[in-house]
Amino acid sequence: MEADTVASLLSGTSAHAPRLCRAALAVLFTLRLSALAVGARTLWWDEVGDLACNASAESCRRACFDAAFPVSPFSLFALQLAVIFSHALASSWHFRPRSEGMGSWLQPTLRGKQQRLWLHLGSLLAKAVLEGVFLVTFHTLYSHFPVLVQCPPSPPCPPAVTCAILNAGEKDAFNHFMAGSSWACLLLSLLGTWHAAVQIFQEASGKAPRKGTARKLSV
């Protein structure tokens, strides 16, 4: 596998993006994936078991967890990375050289540099939207990771059941690291979008004089 293909898979951008932007996005994706792998084996190994409740019934603890965490932060970040990596796979497929296999279905239409830049711009906008959607979802659900959970009265639980979350501080730090990395990726994607828009403008303005000159010469 070539270095450019690896960079596309890790950063989710094409070769039209600035090198520093691609490198930063690739490093951030690697860090997020590593943190997710470490967290899966340490902090988030048994999320339900990390609830210390004043009711010993296992069904009550499960009901408290489901009420407090409709989607656990770890599952949300894992889904986010899966969606981001799927976007990166699609981008690397569309932007790979035509000599590699049959190419993608978009490549016959991408004969000009400006068309490729437009696709590059759309890819970066899609990446920014994906990051933004997951960030809004995370901050809506878990702006601050709770230390204590008050369980609602339900058939498996007696009233006034409270559960303490073990390692809540470490989990909150993990969540802030993942969210901060996502914010950094969002800003870098927007920076790459601005750079692509500038390239498109320069390409368009650079071709316009040539057409006018060609018309004058033909007259």
Side-chain angles (χ1 to χ4, degrees), residues 114 117-118 196-213:
Q114 194 168 22
L117 285 173
W118 275 108
V198 170
Q199 284 183 307
I200 292 173
F201 175 77
Q202 291 177 345
E203 186 72 14
S205 61
K207 287 182 178 179
R210 297 177 188 173
K211 291 181 179 180
T213 306

Side-chain angles (χ1 to χ4, degrees), residues 34-57:
S34 301
L36 204 66
V38 173
R41 302 179 67 89
T42 55
L43 293 175
W44 307 95
W45 178 258
D46 186 8
E47 296 184 68
V48 179
D50 287 341
L51 293 181
C53 304
N54 56 0
S56 58

